[in-house]
Amino acid sequence: MSYDSTYTREIPLVEARSGFKEIDSVLTHPLDTKPTKGWWIAFAISFTALLIGALSLANTLYFGIGEWGNNQPVGWAFDIVNFVFWIGIGHAGTLISAILFLFRQRWRTGIARFAEAMTIFAVMTAGIFPIIHTGRPWLAGYLLPLPNQNGVWVNFASPLLWDVFAVSTYFTISFLFWGIGLVPDLAVLRDRTTNKIKKTIYSVASLGWNFSNRNWSNYERAYLILAGISTPLVLSVHSIVSFDFAVSVIPGWHTTIFPPYFVAGAIFSGFGMVSTVLIIVRKVFDLEHIVTINHLEKMNKILLATGMMVGYAYAMEFFIAWYSGNTFEQFVFINRAFGPYAWAYWIMVSCNVFFPQLFWFKKVRRSIPITMVLVILVNVGMWFERFVIVVTSLHRDFLPSSWAMYAPTITDFGLLLGSFGFFFTFLLLFLKALPLVSIAEIKAVVEGAQPSIHPHPHSSNGEHK
Amino acid sequence: MIKKIQNFFKEFNSREDDEKRSGKIYAVTSLFDTPNEIMNASTEVADKGYKRFDTFTPYPVHGLDQAMGITNPLVGPIAFVGGILGCFLALLMIWWMSDANYPNIIGGKPFFALPAAIPITFEGTVLLTGIATVVGMLVLLNKLPKINNPLNDTEFMKHVSSDKFGIVIGANDKNFSETEVRDLFQSLGGHSIQNVYYRESNLTDKTPLFDSKFIMTLIAVAGLTALVSYFTLNYVLYEVVPFDWMRHQAKINSQSPSDFFPDKAGMRTPVEGTVARGFMPYEYKGLPDSAVRLLANPLPASKNILERGQDRYNIFCSPCHGYFGEGDGRMNDQFPKPPSLHNNKVLNWMDGNIYHVLTNGQNVMPSYESQISRDDRWAIVHYVRALQRSKNAKDQDLPK
């Protein structure tokens, strides 16, 4: 197979349909074969990271969160930084699957399934942090409004509770979205496999999907509705996460720009992560003609746009601090840029705003190695953005007598590493267990897949069978 | 053990592929090669007046709905109902929990305020819309899961799931005739025209789902799981021991031992030289009432205090002294009869003397120091004075 720039030109459509069989075999290839050496190496690395995370978690659970560097006045640190970071990563998946779907961006098909899976795993990773940061995660049941012995309910006026609802709704809806996308593909797998055990599993998991057009018709409508509701959902989730900060009175947190600023940052970081992983995956699984350089270029453009939105927010925060005339606010921002954590601030600004400017050049956008470096920098920069917001705002607030510096402990780093291990372990298992590009969707956008004739309207309506 | 598992898998793999098919025809199927062919064919089949037919494509082909003459009118309304329900339930939950059932004062905010309820209401709306859409689409409209559909596991299905397009005309269509349908497919350019027969399990009336034994087992399993998970969750999340009904609590009862303190005693003695709050020692302890001359009632004889005194008096004193202090309480004949509180002795007493009797006790009357707080004792004294005055009212006490 020779790899050209787009799959539409790539897959030979000689007898029109022979291309479809090829799509099937390319996309199910990773599932039908034993894992390659590259996969095992990647799995070993991420699983080791996961185990390190598990050890740090055990340490935290046994001795308590005193094992972390958090202490007054920096009561929120790596735990919340990691939470916001991972939730943000998740946003690209929904954006690609829902918003780009509504905008009829057909190039999304190549990366949507994968990005959705990333969303789910990222939200799972994120969910760990607020729960362990409560200190007694076994009492996490009290986060939900469940009837209990004390008769009290949760505090519905608290943004932290809104977060519980937003994140769990987000997870559920992303899972449903991903799940109904998988149903037809599982049916394809069911009809391809010769192994009885796999067949039984696929038959049950595909719910007996039978490709009937009466089913497709409802399916497509449902997909559209899901995309429609996921769009405001994804915007609401990071807005609500930002309320955790914005609703407080700490200078540096208490700003109205936070919701849109957080959403833009989430999309930015999410795209950064999707690109990072896709660049590796398309290479390892030979999918360069399905996830093409055109996809990467389009994602780079989105990175450029969202990166500048984030940059605008950074600038606007400074402007408002000056314009408000509030000395505390002004102090916080000067302290951010020139105080003891200035290094973190400048890492953030250069990775998120300065370096992505290189994407103005077409050569850079289409060069895989440079893109790889830049998107990794985006991941780094966005992690530091959350660090800057959380730590620098807390470490010097109204009362100079309570100022203090924050230093993470080895357990903090272990948990951070472990979160990456958790995420990538799931991702690698997903890559070997399910088709990482939607088979049905990609067939539908192949050249010649849609009829060139248009039907005439009927008077008679067929009934549903 | 591993051998056994391996054998099981081997045996499973070599099982007969498809379930036995019956002789009863389910439908006639035909395959087509291109999207244009399938568009034409579906249009023709619909025009011929067939109702029980369906088109099968590996991916959604646009325009087929119109070609087949079908619409999808129900998905939207189902989603809408889910959304309305989610919105309503979320608002109801928030209002009921934070305003009706257990109002909690939080930062002086109103118990229920719409702005604070919006985020969760929004999430609830989205959640139920999404669940309703997916469940409605899959279960209600597409009638899934249905794994033993006669079309599944056929050559036809293997093709339409991959690279071919197919049409199926069901035998339950009122215009159905095998030869006519085959001719129609032939004329439309279809190939691999085949009959599909019902599976035996499709024909037996009994769906295994409605088997009474199955349902009973299901209910039993569900009930058991619910109970077990209820108790384990309670134990794990809230540390509530099942079936204990809070008999055992993580607190130290008086007189019980405790490993926490070095002396292994659960009860603590006050630190030397200190007095616990509300436990000022009584300076006339054990002295005769003649010694008590200087104690004055620190409380004003206000309405509140008199009412409090009445309340305490009726609880603590009335059993022996009677509601009006005449010594005719309900304990008569079971306990030495106390003297009337309206005798000259008590009438002439200072407040401090009455207080002294309550605090110190007098002969058979026990001390109430440990049961009634100091202020309450003084309130009772006021009330006893009021009782006395009511029995010896002067002219000016009468209302004019």
Side-chain angles (χ1 to χ4, degrees):
Chain A
M1 231 186 290
S2 71
Y3 298 134
D4 203 338
S5 55
T6 62
Y7 48 76
T8 43
R9 232 179 302 155
E10 185 47 35
I11 292 171
L13 290 160
V14 222
E15 251 293 327
R17 271 2 76 197
S18 66
F20 289 158
K21 272 229 145 62
E22 201 180 319
I23 293 177
D24 283 348
S25 53
V26 169
L27 291 180
T28 57
H29 182 73
L31 319 187
D32 297 340
T33 48
K34 285 244 153 63
T36 57
K37 212 163 164 199
W39 188 89
W40 278 116
I41 293 173
F43 188 78
I45 296 172
S46 56
F47 198 67
T48 313
L50 175 63
L51 288 181
I52 292 174
L55 278 181
S56 314
L57 186 62
N59 190 33
T60 307
L61 293 187
Y62 190 80
F63 292 107
I65 48 174
E67 291 296 293
W68 299 350
N70 310 19
N71 210 335
Q72 289 302 356
V74 186
W76 278 3
F78 268 37
D79 44 358
I80 301 302
V81 173
N82 294 344
F83 164 66
V84 182
F85 175 73
W86 282 110
I87 279 283
I89 298 289
H91 279 51
T94 324
L95 186 98
I96 290 170
S97 54
I99 299 184
L100 296 188
F101 178 79
L102 294 182
F103 282 119
R104 298 284 185 272
Q105 296 292 311
R106 295 212 298 181
W107 60 274
R108 71 179 263 290
T109 16
I111 53 174
R113 161 77 47 74
F114 178 76
E116 285 165 21
M118 270 186 51
T119 296
I120 289 166
F121 303 138
V123 175
M124 278 161 62
T125 317
I128 296 172
F129 286 98
I131 289 179
I132 59 173
H133 122 117
T134 59
R136 287 192 284 169
W138 50 92
L139 298 182
Y142 282 115
L143 289 173
L144 300 171
L146 298 174
N148 59 64
Q149 279 73 19
N150 303 333
V152 287
W153 301 106
V154 288
N155 174 7
F156 285 99
S158 162
L160 300 179
L161 183 77
W162 305 345
D163 234 8
V164 172
F165 278 85
V167 172
S168 45
T169 302
Y170 186 41
F171 179 79
T172 315
I173 296 292
S174 308
F175 192 80
L176 288 177
F177 211 174
W178 187 65
I180 67 163
L182 272 173
V183 166
D185 284 8
L186 287 167
V188 172
L189 294 174
R190 169 196 73 196
D191 287 346
R192 279 177 65 84
T193 186
T194 48
N195 180 317
K196 291 280 147 48
I197 296 163
K198 279 191 189 171
K199 178 158 183 148
T200 313
I201 296 171
Y202 289 142
S203 298
V204 172
S206 67
L207 308 172
W209 182 263
N210 62 19
F211 299 93
S212 129
N213 191 55
R214 288 172 201 266
N215 285 2
W216 277 126
S217 173
N218 292 325
Y219 176 91
E220 287 229 288
R221 174 53 62 93
Y223 202 85
L224 183 69
I225 291 173
L226 274 188
I229 59 167
S230 301
T231 303
L233 176 66
V234 70
L235 301 181
S236 84
V237 173
H238 229 53
S239 299
I240 289 178
V241 169
S242 82
F243 290 160
D244 292 347
F245 302 96
V247 172
S248 76
V249 295
I250 304 283
W253 286 2
H254 185 61
T255 58
T256 47
I257 200 179
F258 260 32
Y261 164 29
F262 267 51
V263 171
I267 293 165
F268 182 57
S269 68
F271 267 81
M273 187 59 101
V274 172
S275 288
T276 317
V277 184
L278 264 186
I279 289 175
I280 302 170
V281 165
R282 66 197 278 276
K283 191 97 210 154
V284 173
F285 290 103
D286 271 352
L287 293 171
E288 279 134 317
H289 60 302
I290 291 203
V291 182
T292 64
I293 188 94
N294 290 344
H295 286 121
L296 296 177
E297 189 188 353
K298 289 203 170 92
M299 301 222 286
N300 287 343
K301 284 183 184 165
I302 292 183
L303 276 174
L304 179 60
T306 46
M308 290 200 305
M309 287 184 208
V310 173
Y312 171 80
Y314 298 158
M316 194 45 74
E317 280 191 310
F318 267 87
F319 171 75
I320 292 293
W322 167 75
Y323 187 68
S324 67
N326 181 327
T327 41
F328 293 104
E329 195 78 12
Q330 286 166 359
F331 168 79
V332 162
F333 283 95
I334 292 172
N335 183 48
R336 266 190 198 170
F338 305 107
Y341 288 112
W343 52 273
Y345 183 81
W346 292 107
I347 290 181
M348 161 186 110
V349 173
S350 39
C351 291
N352 294 348
V353 187
F354 296 156
F355 292 129
Q357 299 306 319
L358 289 173
F359 284 138
W360 284 108
F361 303 104
K362 189 167 180 136
K363 273 237 170 60
V364 173
R365 288 201 302 267
R366 294 187 75 89
S367 148
I368 300 226
I370 303 182
T371 302
M372 184 73 190
V373 172
L374 287 178
V375 293
I376 288 179
L377 286 181
V378 167
N379 292 328
V380 173
M382 282 311 293
W383 189 87
F384 271 100
E385 178 191 302
R386 279 61 180 254
F387 181 85
V388 166
I389 291 174
V390 174
V391 174
T392 64
S393 307
L394 284 174
H395 90 124
R396 290 183 174 178
D397 64 359
F398 299 106
L399 259 190
S401 62
S402 64
W403 287 1
M405 290 295 286
Y406 163 77
T409 61
I410 185 110
T411 311
D412 281 319
F413 285 114
L415 282 173
L416 175 59
L417 187 66
S419 71
F420 279 90
F422 184 82
F423 176 75
F424 281 105
T425 305
F426 271 102
L427 204 62
L428 285 164
L429 291 176
F430 157 72
L431 291 177
K432 286 306 283 181
L434 293 166
L436 86 163
V437 173
S438 170
I439 299 175
E441 267 186 43
I442 205 103
K443 280 178 187 165
V445 296
V446 166
E447 204 169 281
Q450 297 299 342
S452 54
I453 51 172
H454 292 288
H456 62 82
H458 281 280
S459 47
S460 62
N461 265 13
E463 296 163 36
H464 281 253
K465 254 197 270 197
Chain B
M1 185 67 197
I2 292 170
K3 261 264 137 54
K4 248 191 192 163
I5 294 171
Q6 274 175 347
N7 280 342
F8 170 77
F9 281 134
K10 270 219 192 85
E11 198 242 342
F12 191 90
N13 253 337
S14 58
R15 262 188 222 167
E16 191 44 45
D17 187 10
D18 195 9
E19 197 192 325
K20 272 239 170 56
R21 298 275 175 167
S22 68
K24 189 167 175 224
I25 186 163
Y26 168 72
V28 179
T29 68
S30 165
L31 291 176
F32 295 84
D33 282 335
T34 65
N36 281 350
E37 274 172 38
I38 194 77
M39 288 287 279
N40 274 335
S42 339
T43 319
E44 287 299 318
V45 171
D47 279 351
K48 283 260 162 0
Y50 288 105
K51 304 274 182 206
R52 302 288 186 169
F53 77 102
D54 206 343
T55 313
F56 293 75
T57 54
Y59 54 87
V61 171
H62 296 156
L64 258 188
D65 288 4
Q66 291 95 305
M68 289 171 66
I70 59 167
T71 48
N72 49 14
L74 284 176
V75 190
I78 290 176
F80 184 73
V81 170
I84 294 290
L85 207 66
C87 178
F88 176 73
L89 286 181
L91 269 180
L92 186 71
M93 170 182 79
I94 299 172
W95 167 79
W96 184 76
M97 288 179 181
S98 57
D99 196 348
N101 184 251
Y102 198 125
N104 244 334
I105 298 174
I106 294 155
K109 294 175 206 159
F111 295 128
F112 177 79
L114 200 57
I118 284 175
I120 292 180
T121 309
F122 173 77
E123 302 299 331
T125 312
V126 169
L127 184 67
L128 283 210
T129 314
I131 292 176
T133 312
V134 170
V135 174
M137 182 272 284
L138 288 175
V139 179
L140 293 182
L141 300 176
N142 289 354
K143 307 276 187 294
L144 298 174
K146 185 164 174 49
I147 292 163
N148 68 349
N149 185 327
L151 287 171
N152 286 357
D153 268 331
T154 56
E155 275 306 306
F156 173 78
M157 187 51 66
K158 290 213 163 69
H159 282 293
V160 297
S161 69
S162 171
D163 61 343
K164 295 276 191 287
F165 305 85
I167 293 192
V168 170
I169 296 182
N172 54 357
D173 193 291
K174 57 181 186 304
N175 297 338
F176 181 82
S177 121
E178 201 188 321
T179 45
E180 258 175 48
V181 169
R182 277 173 172 270
D183 289 347
L184 175 65
F185 283 152
Q186 209 95 55
S187 68
L188 292 170
H191 60 84
S192 319
I193 300 167
Q194 261 162 353
N195 292 355
V196 169
Y197 296 92
Y198 279 104
R199 291 159 200 269
E200 307 226 292
S201 65
N202 294 138
L203 291 178
T204 45
D205 291 337
K206 256 200 350 215
T207 348
L209 264 175
F210 297 122
D211 188 66
S212 65
K213 254 190 220 147
F214 174 74
I215 290 182
M216 293 310 261
T217 330
L218 206 67
I219 292 174
V221 169
L224 216 68
T225 331
L227 272 182
V228 169
S229 42
Y230 175 75
F231 287 118
T232 29
L233 281 180
N234 250 336
Y235 185 71
V236 174
L237 295 178
Y238 308 126
E239 298 173 354
V240 177
V241 181
F243 305 115
D244 181 68
W245 316 125
M246 294 183 83
R247 260 183 309 240
H248 298 101
Q249 303 178 8
K251 69 172 189 198
I252 298 171
N253 292 319
S254 43
Q255 315 295 347
S256 62
S258 158
D259 286 338
F260 186 77
F261 301 106
D263 63 358
K264 306 278 177 209
M267 287 165 79
R268 305 282 79 206
T269 46
V271 178
E272 233 174 282
T274 60
V275 173
R277 264 171 179 272
F279 287 90
M280 274 309 271
Y282 181 55
E283 54 186 309
Y284 301 108
K285 188 105 215 164
L287 297 180
D289 63 72
S290 55
V292 192
R293 285 264 141 219
L294 294 175
L295 277 180
N297 196 333
L299 303 180
S302 66
K303 184 162 184 256
N304 278 348
I305 291 189
L306 278 171
E307 273 170 359
R308 176 73 183 166
Q310 178 182 33
D311 179 62
R312 297 291 101 177
Y313 179 91
N314 288 348
I315 291 171
F316 289 104
C317 319
S318 71
C320 299
H321 287 281
Y323 285 110
F324 304 101
E326 286 168 327
D328 56 348
R330 307 183 288 292
M331 296 284 284
N332 258 346
D333 303 334
Q334 299 168 48
F335 192 80
K337 193 173 153 63
S340 162
L341 297 180
H342 305 292
N343 61 20
N344 275 340
K345 177 183 168 195
V346 184
L347 275 174
N348 293 330
W349 260 354
M350 311 281 290
D351 281 358
N353 293 99
I354 302 181
Y355 180 80
H356 184 70
V357 174
L358 305 192
T359 313
N360 204 37
Q362 175 181 299
N363 302 326
V364 284
M365 177 173 153
S367 153
Y368 280 85
E369 197 183 4
S370 61
Q371 293 169 50
I372 309 176
S373 76
R374 196 180 52 171
D375 282 359
D376 282 351
R377 272 176 273 148
W378 280 119
I380 289 175
V381 171
H382 270 315
Y383 183 65
V384 171
R385 285 294 186 215
L387 283 179
Q388 288 176 340
R389 187 142 166 206
S390 68
K391 287 271 164 183
N392 304 286
K394 299 194 180 74
D395 282 350
Q396 74 253 32
D397 291 338
L398 291 172
K400 304 234 153 67

